[in-house]
């Protein structure tokens, strides 16, 4: 892949709160927003497709002269703000700088200025002999994206997550060792709410991998670590939340201990359920559901690709073992989704305990195509259509997925392709 192709690789996918808009960010620092078309009058039950609504350059490559470091333009995360007027707003971040963008629509333009001509140049005032009332004339729809605020200089290390608080006034950003709390209206200062940096960096044993605010309680947030633990913090208890309220950690099974244990137990993503009662985490081989009222162990554990357990050596050698997969809840918290290799993604139904492996590919994305379940077999007898674990393509990985907040619509980022599957996603899963 050339540098240009690399720039197209999607690095984050996020629906807004209504699901009407979907934003993707890529390695080239661009944000593309898709809008769902309204249902057509002729076919009232046909679901609207998502079409490109706006594309803009959010981040440019920068250079940190103090550290002689190049700062990539790659968009790490996008978070929508709840809509409060006709405009939409979103936060986007690369490794160092968070930006607040405002997206507005214009479909009328004023005409008939007194002091300017139609080109916008000032008229010779001696020629203005009468006053006229400017009128609004319809024009083609224009989507304008403008940068509203830039939140810089808050992080020494790379930002891995941002999360907007339910108070709609503050948000947090997390890097490897610290979490900061920002006010959306104040760009020049943030409050450090978690700091796990040891006095001596040689004593460092874990890093922060992801963080998220509780959906309903503005004082609660969770952060995950590279050691596989989750810490729930309460901002009412203390300004600096270094002492967590709850620690969620599963004791390790000594019989499974290996050189790779710590690497594969690192949590790559954490998401609160919509209800706020549960947390979903993804590590290298599993997704787990945790109950906020039970710290000792997860209430559910699902194997994403258990057949890779015997392949950890080669996955370590090709660096795949460090891939950071995300996870997502459906709107009713009954089904969870996460990505895998070979452009496969997995769904687990929490009620029926059924699971399915599906593939994001050009064939499956044709209109009205039905996604066929795929099976990976390990040695022994193979059924037709099964794929052998040895022929999986580890360069095709689905790291970023998103689920529409209310409907069965999912967005899957497969390298530089975005797939949107609607409603028909394997009917036996829903």
């Amino acid at each position: 892949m050339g540098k240009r192709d690399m720039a197209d690789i999607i690095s984050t996918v996020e629906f807004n709160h209504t699901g009407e808009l979907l934003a993707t960010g890529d390695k080239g620092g661009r944000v593309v927003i898709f809008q769902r078309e309204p249902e057509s009058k002729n076919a009232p039950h046909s679901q609207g497709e998502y079409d490109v609504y706006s594309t803009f350059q959010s981040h440019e490559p920068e250079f940190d002269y103090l550290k002689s470091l190049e700062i990539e333009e790659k968009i790490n995360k996008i978070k929508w703000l709840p809509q409060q007027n006709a405009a939409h707003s979103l936060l986007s971040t690369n490794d160092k700088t968070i930006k607040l963008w405002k997206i507005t629509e214009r479909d009328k333009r004023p005409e008939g200025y007194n002091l300017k001509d139609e080109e916008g140049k000032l008229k010779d005032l001696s020629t203005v002999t009468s006053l006229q009332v400017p009128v609004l004339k319809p024009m083609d729809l224009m989507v304008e994206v403008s940068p509203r605020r830039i939140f810089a200089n808050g992080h020494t290390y790379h930002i891995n997550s941002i999360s907007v608080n339910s108070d709609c006034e503050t948000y947090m950003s997390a890097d490897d060792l610290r979490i900061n709390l920002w006010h959306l209206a104040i760009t020049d200062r943030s409050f450090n709410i978690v700091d796990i940096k040891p006095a001596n960096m040689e004593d460092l044993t874990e890093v922060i991998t992801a963080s998220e605010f509780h959906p309903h309680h503005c004082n609660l947030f969770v952060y995950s670590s590279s050691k596989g633990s989750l810490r729930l913090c309460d901002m009412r208890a203390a300004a600096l939340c270094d002492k967590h309220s709850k620690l969620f950690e599963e004791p390790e099974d000594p019989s499974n201990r290996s050189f790779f244990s710590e690497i594969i137990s690192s949590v790559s993503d954490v998401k609160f359920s919509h209800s706020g009662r549960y947390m979903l985490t993804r590590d290298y081989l599993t997704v787990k559901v945790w109950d906020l009222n039970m710290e000792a162990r997860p209430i559910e554990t699902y194997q994403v690709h258990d057949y890779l357990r015997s392949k950890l050596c080669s996955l370590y050698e090709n660096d795949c073992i460090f891939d950071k997969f995300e996870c997502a809840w459906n709107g009713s918290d009954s089904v969870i989704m996460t990505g895998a290799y070979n452009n496969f993604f997995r769904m687990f139904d929490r009620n029926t305990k059924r699971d399915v492996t599906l593939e994001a590919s050009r064939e499956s994305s044709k209109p009205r195509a039905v996604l066929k379940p795929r099976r990976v077999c390990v040695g022994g007898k193979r059924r037709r259509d099964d794929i052998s674990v040895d022929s999986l393509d580890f360069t095709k990985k689905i790291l970023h997925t998103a689920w529409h907040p209310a409907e069965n619509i999912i967005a899957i980022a497969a390298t530089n392709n975005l797939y949107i599957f609607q409603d028909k996603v394997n009917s036996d899963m829903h």
Side-chain angles (χ1 to χ4, degrees):
M1 275 185 142
K3 187 151 176 35
R4 187 70 233 126
D5 301 335
M6 292 292 284
D8 290 337
I9 293 177
I10 298 171
S11 50
T12 185
V13 190
E14 192 80 15
F15 280 101
N16 75 339
H17 296 262
T18 61
E20 179 210 357
L21 299 176
L22 171 68
T24 64
D26 67 20
K27 285 199 169 175
R30 276 185 312 271
V31 172
V32 181
I33 300 174
F34 298 85
Q35 182 185 43
R36 196 176 183 192
E37 292 296 304
E39 294 181 17
S40 68
K41 302 253 186 315
N42 317 339
H45 295 299
S46 75
Q47 295 300 333
E49 300 288 319
Y50 283 83
D51 293 326
V52 174
Y53 178 63
S54 177
T55 301
F56 63 97
Q57 190 71 30
S58 172
H59 287 68
E60 303 279 358
E62 290 172 60
F63 193 78
D64 182 338
Y65 292 98
L66 290 175
K67 298 204 182 89
S68 292
L69 272 181
E70 225 178 310
I71 301 165
E72 278 190 295
E73 63 272 39
K74 174 191 167 205
I75 310 288
N76 291 347
K77 285 285 183 283
I78 290 172
K79 285 286 180 270
W80 291 90
L81 274 57
Q83 193 177 358
Q84 292 173 334
N85 50 34
H88 293 277
S89 302
L90 62 78
L91 290 169
S92 63
T93 184
N94 67 349
D95 284 342
K96 295 287 177 204
T97 305
I98 305 153
K99 297 185 180 183
L100 173 64
W101 296 91
K102 185 177 180 185
I103 301 116
T104 48
E105 285 187 1
R106 281 221 325 234
D107 59 358
K108 294 185 179 67
R109 66 162 181 259
E111 275 184 16
Y113 287 104
N114 286 294
L115 305 180
K116 293 179 185 169
D117 61 20
E118 294 309 324
E119 270 76 62
K121 290 203 262 310
L122 278 173
K123 293 180 185 171
D124 176 0
L125 294 185
S126 62
T127 64
V128 179
T129 54
S130 62
L131 287 177
Q132 55 180 337
V133 179
V135 289
L136 286 172
K137 290 274 178 70
M139 60 178 244
D140 286 345
L141 178 70
M142 259 180 62
V143 179
E144 294 181 340
V145 180
S146 51
R148 300 304 295 219
R149 296 198 178 82
I150 295 178
F151 304 88
N153 308 322
H155 289 273
T156 312
Y157 306 97
H158 292 347
I159 298 170
N160 56 44
S161 47
I162 49 177
S163 178
V164 179
N165 198 342
S166 58
D167 65 11
C168 300
E169 286 184 3
T170 55
Y171 75 91
M172 67 177 171
S173 55
D175 66 26
D176 289 350
L177 300 179
R178 298 192 180 104
I179 301 177
N180 292 338
L181 181 69
W182 301 82
H183 193 286
L184 282 160
I186 302 169
T187 56
D188 58 354
R189 67 175 183 271
S190 59
F191 296 96
N192 180 230
I193 51 174
V194 172
D195 186 348
I196 64 165
K197 185 180 178 184
N200 180 355
M201 281 295 267
E202 287 174 9
D203 300 333
L204 184 68
T205 58
E206 64 180 333
V207 294
I208 297 166
T209 54
S211 65
E212 193 180 54
F213 269 120
H214 190 280
H216 316 305
H217 300 301
C218 61
N219 52 293
L220 292 180
F221 67 93
V222 67
Y223 70 91
S224 58
S225 90
S226 56
K227 278 197 156 171
S229 59
L230 298 174
R231 289 176 175 85
L232 187 72
C233 301
D234 187 342
M235 291 192 291
R236 292 175 306 191
L240 191 64
C241 302
D242 287 357
K243 294 186 173 60
H244 49 269
S245 306
K246 290 187 174 185
L247 173 65
F248 299 80
E249 207 167 30
E250 189 166 25
E252 191 187 26
D253 178 356
S255 63
N256 277 344
R257 179 105 193 112
S258 78
F259 169 73
F260 304 110
S261 298
E262 190 157 314
I263 303 174
I264 63 172
S265 66
S266 175
V267 174
S268 53
D269 194 17
V270 59
K271 295 270 170 54
F272 278 105
S273 62
H274 296 79
S275 68
R277 169 77 189 265
Y278 304 104
M279 296 179 294
L280 176 63
T281 59
R282 171 71 208 257
D283 56 38
Y284 192 63
L285 294 176
T286 67
V287 276
K288 294 172 180 170
V289 177
W290 301 79
D291 188 322
L292 257 65
N293 302 326
M294 190 167 99
E295 297 167 71
R297 62 183 182 279
I299 54 168
E300 296 158 29
T301 300
Y302 302 97
Q303 300 297 334
V304 177
H305 36 210
D306 204 39
Y307 45 79
L308 296 184
R309 241 174 241 285
S310 58
K311 298 254 177 280
L312 294 177
C313 247
S314 54
L315 290 163
Y316 178 75
E317 282 163 12
N318 66 13
D319 274 354
C320 284
I321 202 166
F322 300 108
D323 285 334
K324 294 175 169 53
F325 291 95
E326 294 168 8
C327 50
W329 297 91
N330 72 339
S332 60
D333 300 334
S334 60
V335 183
I336 51 189
M337 165 174 67
T338 191
Y341 292 106
N342 210 65
N343 277 0
F344 289 169
F345 58 99
R346 303 271 283 133
M347 289 191 167
F348 303 93
D349 188 312
R350 297 180 57 211
N351 300 326
T352 63
K353 298 295 182 247
R354 292 177 71 158
D355 66 285
V356 67
T357 301
L358 301 167
E359 182 180 8
S361 67
R362 294 214 181 275
E363 288 68 60
S364 62
S365 64
K366 293 198 177 94
R368 278 171 287 289
V370 176
L371 290 177
K372 284 206 300 282
R374 301 297 309 259
R375 274 170 48 98
V376 178
C377 69
V378 187
K381 288 205 297 258
R382 258 177 81 181
R383 297 203 303 225
R384 209 167 64 91
D385 289 349
D386 278 6
I387 181 161
S388 152
V389 68
D390 296 317
S391 56
L392 293 173
D393 185 343
F394 291 106
T395 62
K396 293 181 173 170
K397 49 191 88 166
I398 290 176
L399 304 176
H400 314 289
T401 59
W403 206 310
H404 186 290
E407 297 177 42
N408 282 330
I409 300 175
I410 54 172
I412 307 280
T415 341
N416 48 3
N417 294 312
L418 176 72
Y419 295 100
I420 297 172
F421 299 114
Q422 302 200 11
D423 212 31
K424 303 173 288 293
V425 179
N426 213 48
S427 49
D428 66 351
M429 283 298 296
H430 298 295

